[in-house]
Amino acid sequence: MAVGFGDTSQDRRVRVLGEPVDSYPRLAPEVERGSVRRITVVGEEILRRPCREVTQFGTQELSQLVDDMFATNQVAEGAGLAANQVDVDLQLFVWDITDDWGVRHVGHIANPVLEEVPTEQRRLVEEPEGCLSVPGPYRVLPRLDRAVVRGRDKNGKALVIEGRGYFARCLQHETDHLYGHLYLDRLAQRERKAALREMAASKDEMLARRAALARKLGK
């Protein structure tokens, strides 16, 4: 079972799949093993439909996909990445993110389901949010400051991942992806159009930066 967020107030150890570890490398081992894949961008059909459930666990194919997603997320300087963002139709996402309290969270989850947060615990926080499939723009967006996601790891083991603040935002954002939703969908039409114009202006620069980081990592 994952360690709840309340346990992180004094314990600053890295959380891997929700569990604290005594030491962890700067680059996740998956990054070292993985290859960089092309990141899909808004307008591609795969980003607009619900993904298929993962039904086969413990396979080399699934392990390689997780590794590749970590490598791709690393060179794109992302906090998280969903499978349909590398053109794979599966309910799977990865994360490598440091939360508001300085705790690093690293992991992956298949077939994630967001738990309903009780009304008395619901608190919306408005903060900037971006997306690797919308390279460039960030927009202020309300999200719940607490999220709990249930699913399975690549070997089929049950997972419960809890996050607050920025990590909670990441869990919600990536789960949205797997149901065909982008953060742009939560914006007013005028704001959405402005973000797309900004993306068009910055896209080439962002892609060049990713390519340079990939070369630096030997990917």
Side-chain angles (χ1 to χ4, degrees), residues 117-132:
V117 177
T119 303
E120 65 274 12
Q121 297 180 21
R122 295 173 66 90
R123 187 171 78 91
L124 287 174
V125 176
E126 295 193 0
E127 290 184 344
E129 184 168 328
C131 179
L132 299 183

Side-chain angles (χ1 to χ4, degrees), residues 41-92:
V41 296
V42 58
E44 296 188 45
E45 190 270 339
I46 195 168
L47 293 173
R48 283 305 186 187
R49 53 183 163 86
C51 294
R52 296 180 296 110
E53 284 193 3
V54 176
T55 57
Q56 295 185 343
F57 295 93
T59 67
Q60 179 57 39
E61 182 181 25
L62 187 59
S63 291
Q64 188 63 57
L65 175 58
V66 169
D67 291 348
D68 290 355
M69 289 171 66
F70 266 95
T72 305
N73 186 59
Q74 179 69 33
V75 302
E77 301 175 286
L81 186 72
N84 56 357
Q85 291 183 275
V86 292
D87 205 26
V88 177
D89 179 20
L90 284 178
Q91 291 184 16
L92 173 74

Side-chain angles (χ1 to χ4, degrees), residues 12-214:
R12 301 302 188 199
R13 289 179 294 173
V14 175
R15 261 56 178 177
V16 178
L17 294 176
E19 298 291 346
V21 296
D22 291 329
S23 64
Y24 199 76
R26 184 182 68 83
L27 287 181
E30 292 91 343
V31 174
E32 303 285 359
R33 298 191 299 261
S35 299
V36 174
R37 302 195 186 192
R38 184 186 71 86
I39 296 178
T40 54
V41 296
V42 58
E44 296 188 45
E45 190 270 339
I46 195 168
L47 293 173
R48 283 305 186 187
R49 53 183 163 86
C51 294
R52 296 180 296 110
E53 284 193 3
V54 176
T55 57
Q56 295 185 343
F57 295 93
T59 67
Q60 179 57 39
E61 182 181 25
L62 187 59
S63 291
Q64 188 63 57
L65 175 58
V66 169
D67 291 348
D68 290 355
M69 289 171 66
F70 266 95
T72 305
N73 186 59
Q74 179 69 33
V75 302
E77 301 175 286
L81 186 72
N84 56 357
Q85 291 183 275
V86 292
D87 205 26
V88 177
D89 179 20
L90 284 178
Q91 291 184 16
L92 173 74
F93 70 79
V94 304
W95 65 89
D96 190 341
I97 179 175
T98 299
D99 68 21
D100 308 55
W101 296 267
V103 177
R104 183 181 176 191
H105 302 265
V106 183
H108 67 275
I109 192 167
N111 304 337
V113 176
L114 279 169
E115 284 192 357
E116 187 71 25
V117 177
T119 303
E120 65 274 12
Q121 297 180 21
R122 295 173 66 90
R123 187 171 78 91
L124 287 174
V125 176
E126 295 193 0
E127 290 184 344
E129 184 168 328
C131 179
L132 299 183
S133 291
V134 189
Y138 280 74
R139 289 296 183 272
V140 173
L141 192 69
R143 292 275 192 186
L144 292 173
D145 79 333
R146 175 177 179 268
V148 178
V149 178
R150 294 181 180 271
R152 297 190 178 277
D153 72 8
K154 63 184 181 181
N155 296 313
K157 179 182 176 182
L159 291 176
V160 181
I161 305 296
E162 181 176 1
R164 290 280 179 93
Y166 188 42
F167 186 33
R169 180 173 293 270
C170 175
L171 295 175
Q172 293 168 83
H173 178 109
E174 302 305 334
T175 301
D176 272 357
H177 267 302
L178 304 182
Y179 290 91
H181 304 306
L182 297 171
Y183 88 98
L184 295 176
D185 302 334
R186 297 177 178 269
L187 301 176
Q189 184 177 15
R190 182 176 179 179
E191 191 74 359
R192 182 164 59 249
K193 289 182 177 179
L196 289 171
R197 287 195 298 270
E198 187 177 328
M199 183 196 79
S202 61
K203 179 181 175 182
D204 289 346
E205 180 182 348
M206 295 292 292
L207 295 181
R209 179 179 175 86
R210 293 175 186 175
L213 286 172

